[in-house]
Amino acid sequence: MTAQTSEDTLDRAPVGAPPRHPRKGGPLRLALLVGALGVVYGDIGTSPIYALQTIFNPADPHPVPVNTANVYGIVSLIFWSVTIIVTVFYVGIAMRADNDGEGGIMALITLIRRHASGRGRKAALTLAALGIFGAALFLGDSMITPAISVLSAVEGIKTVSSGLDAVIIPATAVIIVMLFALQKRGTHVIGRWFGPIMGVWFAALALLGIGGIAGNPAILRALSPTYAIDFVFGNFGVAFFALAAVILTFTGAEALYADMGHFGRKPISKAWIGIVFPAVMLNYMGQGALILEDTGNISGSFFLLAPEALRIPLLVLTTVATVIAAQAVISGAFSVASQASELGYLPRLRIAHTSEHQYGQIYVPWINWLLMVSVLVLVFAFRTSEALAFAYGMAVIGTIVIVVLLFLYVARARWGAPKWLLATGGGLLIAITTAFLAASSTKIVHGAWLPLLIGLLAFTVMITWQKGREVVTGERGRREGSLREFVDHLREGEPKAARVPGTAVFLDRGKQSAPLALRANLEQNHARHAQIVVLSVETQPVPRVAEADRLCVDQLGDDRDAVIHVTARFGYMETPDVPRALEAIDPEQAEGRRLNLDRATYFLSTIQLKPGRQKTMATWRKHLFIATSHITADAAEHFRLPRDRTMIIGSHIEV
């Protein structure tokens, strides 16, 4: 089995490289806050639709008995769980640990790798590997969230008419396809559309909750933590299993962190504190009050908060809101995949930046369509939101536990947090989150195996790609050698080569090494062009680069050998048009001769991968690495090279 991949797709961004994301400053803009409502909080904001009825679901293998004490205990447990995990940990603390504006588990991995040195290196690398598994779990969450969110909303049609059951699955599938088709328009456009709708949604949550509370104000006593404590320790057998469903109330926590690069920390934090958290908690309180009035209200407690005349409008709003809910994890998945690619855990994917103002707003086509297919498979396989609920919690809490562990390491290594503070506050967080994880593990045979399987598969792909790249990069570096030394030998007439007219442009990722295509052309064809340009392309953390700053030309120590190195810089919103950029090189920079770009030949180095006999990794992993290399982006198309004048020179490397 062999594969051909562009040489530059196998270069890993160096750990500790200069930050690529501009710092966000200036006044907080309303547009970002509204956009955050529409993109970041859809998931956690729609959990009231299904969370309580799942907790009290009589079909659960470990049902929670419906009585007054348990209703107070559950509502109190929800309030304090969300407060501690989302408000205190994620919004108050974790979001301060960013990789130059980017958040999420991959940002923590980057920070850990930067501080991995000395005696703590082994522990840091172990945590980084654990973090990769957490990122893989999050990708599983990105598949499950759209399925359960849209299904739960469309299922509300049963409260209107029981004869419409047959349309639930087809309608869900159509909505999901439309959602993923919208992604290419960009997060800022989606946020502009979805933000105002989610503003209406959170207002509706609050009003419905207030209406329910008005019917039984005593439910407000559940704000006291004593009810949660009494429920957990007074009835531990029931409470322990209930934790697995309580997880559903904070399912969007990791997406909130991962989406930080899309909007920034302040808009996300202010939207949570001022709008989302109060609205969601009021609704849970209202549902609790409704259940206290009549235990028969458990099934569909969310929809029953609304007067019967408003059920259909609420159903429509709920369906739209749950479509938006899927957006949080989709955009989060784009961020995770992009960061994983930069760190060398995934191939270099085609990434489209969709905003001139926020570097982190991106669209990754390959991830988008993979998620869409996966979500549709889950919908048709599980068919109900209740069947997916058990699988849902495991992906969420598994990622959260890992984020807590990684964050505590970063807090110590980066900020020098006192050990006593980490032992007390960190110990409490670990105890709480591992209790949820233990409870969720009891649901493995009931569906929680799914995110673990997805996470394990994604984790295997990522660590295999990282290992394979290390093997290929090491071998390629040995073959390339130093560019300066190569040019010196060329100047001295080694290897012997005939000089042919014209300009040759060899793309490479830096000026430290000689492109394989350049070496191969000289050693195999015994020919060199009259003018040779070794070109590196850099993406800058600004929307557009001024023409005056576009090019940097290095004559590599001699102004008469007709070999130059050019660094071309592009902003993240620009399509790197290499031929057009090279037109700005004047003759003085090109050693006194104008480049003949109208007839220039462009050379790309490619690597033919095939399994070798070396024991670099297991045979099945070698085949997996080679298969994964097929998804790398096409370099010629990306750099707008003329197809009729682009030559691809390959080298064989065994892995």
Side-chain angles (χ1 to χ4, degrees):
M1 179 179 181
T2 62
Q4 177 175 296
T5 183
S6 177
E7 175 187 10
D8 65 319
T9 65
L10 293 169
D11 286 322
R12 184 177 64 234
V15 175
R20 296 183 57 196
H21 302 275
R23 293 289 181 183
K24 302 172 183 67
L28 176 63
R29 292 180 299 166
L30 179 62
L32 281 177
L33 190 147
V34 173
L37 281 180
V39 174
V40 177
Y41 289 115
D43 186 8
I44 200 167
T46 53
S47 58
I49 300 171
Y50 50 81
L52 267 181
Q53 70 177 36
T54 301
I55 293 171
F56 289 110
N57 181 12
D60 191 294
H62 309 97
V64 177
V66 185
N67 56 53
T68 301
N70 286 352
V71 172
Y72 276 107
I74 287 293
V75 173
S76 182
L77 186 60
I78 289 172
F79 176 81
W80 287 104
S81 297
V82 174
T83 297
I84 294 171
I85 293 175
V86 183
T87 307
V88 175
F89 175 63
Y90 272 102
V91 176
I93 302 174
M95 289 179 66
R96 298 178 184 276
D98 66 284
N99 178 30
D100 200 56
E102 288 285 1
I105 196 166
M106 294 305 300
L108 289 175
I109 293 170
T110 305
L111 296 176
I112 286 174
R113 288 173 58 170
R114 287 179 184 172
H115 290 86
S117 60
R119 290 182 300 173
R121 179 174 175 80
K122 186 175 181 180
L125 294 179
T126 300
L127 282 174
L130 183 63
I132 293 301
F133 182 68
L137 281 177
F138 179 72
L139 292 177
D141 181 24
S142 303
M143 298 174 186
I144 298 172
T145 295
I148 192 173
S149 297
V150 179
L151 262 176
S152 64
V154 179
E155 285 171 348
I157 201 170
K158 293 185 291 187
T159 64
V160 178
S161 173
S162 58
L164 296 175
D165 288 11
V167 306
I168 291 176
I169 300 299
T172 300
V174 170
I175 291 169
I176 287 170
V177 170
M178 291 174 62
L179 172 66
F180 282 97
L182 278 175
Q183 297 304 313
K184 62 184 178 183
R185 296 186 176 273
T187 307
H188 69 295
V189 174
I190 294 172
R192 189 165 63 240
W193 292 350
F194 287 175
I197 297 174
M198 289 307 293
V200 174
W201 169 255
F202 287 117
L205 284 185
L207 291 173
L208 291 173
I210 291 171
I213 293 170
N216 194 342
I219 192 64
L220 293 173
R221 290 184 294 183
L223 292 173
S224 169
T226 58
Y227 286 93
I229 295 171
D230 289 344
F231 175 69
V232 171
F233 293 101
N235 196 7
F236 185 77
V238 172
F240 175 73
F241 292 111
L243 292 178
V246 174
I247 294 170
L248 301 178
T249 63
F250 50 83
T251 52
E254 177 56 21
L256 175 154
Y257 187 22
D259 280 335
M260 190 165 69
H262 288 255
F263 296 99
R265 181 174 64 87
K266 287 186 177 180
I268 292 175
S269 301
K270 292 195 173 186
W272 172 256
I273 298 298
I275 300 173
V276 181
F277 183 52
V280 168
M281 286 304 117
L282 282 171
N283 197 269
Y284 281 124
M285 293 281 178
Q287 289 187 57
L290 195 67
I291 294 170
L292 287 177
E293 289 181 5
D294 183 355
T295 58
N297 290 331
I298 290 175
S299 180
S301 58
F302 172 77
F303 291 99
L304 293 174
L305 281 174
E308 189 170 350
L310 296 179
R311 299 266 170 84
I312 292 179
L314 179 61
L315 175 61
V316 173
L317 178 60
T318 302
T319 303
V320 175
T322 51
V323 170
I324 297 172
Q327 184 61 45
V329 290
I330 294 172
S331 54
F334 292 162
S335 296
V336 168
S338 173
Q339 293 177 65
S341 179
E342 289 181 5
L343 288 174
Y345 291 104
L346 285 176
R348 289 200 176 273
L349 305 169
R350 186 167 71 86
I351 296 173
H353 290 269
T354 58
S355 171
E356 295 192 22
H357 306 293
Q358 294 292 120
Y359 184 91
Q361 292 190 10
I362 58 176
Y363 167 64
V364 187
W366 197 88
I367 296 295
N368 185 66
W369 303 122
L370 173 66
L371 287 179
M372 187 190 78
V373 172
S374 303
V375 171
L376 290 174
V377 169
L378 291 177
V379 168
F380 286 107
F382 284 83
R383 305 191 72 81
T384 68
S385 59
E386 290 180 355
L388 274 168
F390 299 137
Y392 198 22
M394 176 59 79
V396 174
I397 195 59
T399 305
I400 290 175
V401 170
I402 293 172
V403 167
V404 170
L405 294 174
L406 268 58
F407 173 81
L408 293 177
Y409 180 91
V410 170
R412 178 63 182 170
R414 188 184 189 190
W415 300 330
K419 291 183 178 180
W420 66 266
L421 180 60
L422 296 179
T424 53
L428 178 62
L429 276 172
I430 291 173
I432 292 172
T433 53
T434 52
F436 280 107
L437 179 64
S440 189
S441 66
T442 65
K443 308 296 185 182
I444 288 178
V445 296
H446 303 290
W449 57 268
L450 177 63
L452 293 177
L453 176 61
I454 295 173
L456 182 61
L457 291 174
F459 175 74
T460 302
V461 169
M462 288 194 281
I463 62 171
T464 297
W465 181 258
Q466 182 201 33
K467 177 62 177 177
R469 287 182 70 164
E470 288 178 357
V471 173
V472 173
T473 300
E475 175 61 19
R476 194 193 69 235
R478 184 187 68 80
R479 295 187 186 185
E480 287 178 336
S482 166
L483 176 60
R484 288 272 185 169
E485 292 179 6
F486 181 79
V487 172
D488 290 340
H489 289 305
L490 186 65
R491 191 181 303 125
E492 295 167 3
E494 299 178 9
K496 294 186 181 301
R499 186 180 293 252
V500 297
T503 300
V505 181
F506 294 86
L507 271 72
D508 199 21
R509 294 195 56 81
K511 64 179 180 180
Q512 302 305 317
S513 58
L516 287 178
L518 176 57
R519 282 189 177 274
N521 193 42
L522 287 163
E523 294 170 0
Q524 303 301 323
N525 297 330
H526 306 291
R528 59 153 290 176
H529 286 73
Q531 293 175 302
I532 295 176
V533 177
V534 179
L535 175 71
S536 302
V537 178
E538 295 181 356
T539 301
Q540 301 294 306
V542 293
R544 289 177 173 80
V545 171
E547 290 301 323
D549 301 324
R550 177 79 66 199
L551 300 176
C552 177
V553 181
D554 185 347
Q555 296 178 349
L556 298 174
D558 194 306
D559 59 0
R560 298 179 304 278
D561 59 8
V563 182
I564 62 173
H565 182 278
V566 177
T567 301
R569 304 184 182 95
F570 296 91
Y572 61 80
M573 285 298 294
E574 295 179 288
T575 298
D577 190 331
V578 164
R580 182 181 177 188
L582 292 177
E583 291 175 358
I585 298 178
D586 59 46
E588 290 185 6
Q589 293 175 304
E591 302 181 353
R593 288 165 287 187
R594 181 171 296 279
L595 298 179
N596 185 8
L597 295 174
D598 292 337
R599 296 183 180 180
T601 304
Y602 296 85
F603 290 84
L604 291 173
S605 305
T606 63
I607 296 173
Q608 298 280 349
L609 302 173
K610 60 181 181 179
R613 295 182 179 180
Q614 301 91 337
K615 295 182 178 179
T616 54
M617 51 185 169
T619 301
W620 66 268
R621 291 185 68 193
K622 293 180 180 181
H623 287 284
L624 176 61
F625 172 72
I626 293 170
T628 306
S629 69
H630 288 294
I631 69 174
T632 53
D634 178 49
E637 178 184 354
H638 181 68
F639 295 121
R640 292 195 172 183
L641 304 183
R643 290 284 185 180
D644 59 337
R645 289 187 283 117
T646 298
M647 298 188 66
I648 299 174
I649 297 181
S651 300
H652 287 277
I653 289 184
E654 294 184 348
V655 294

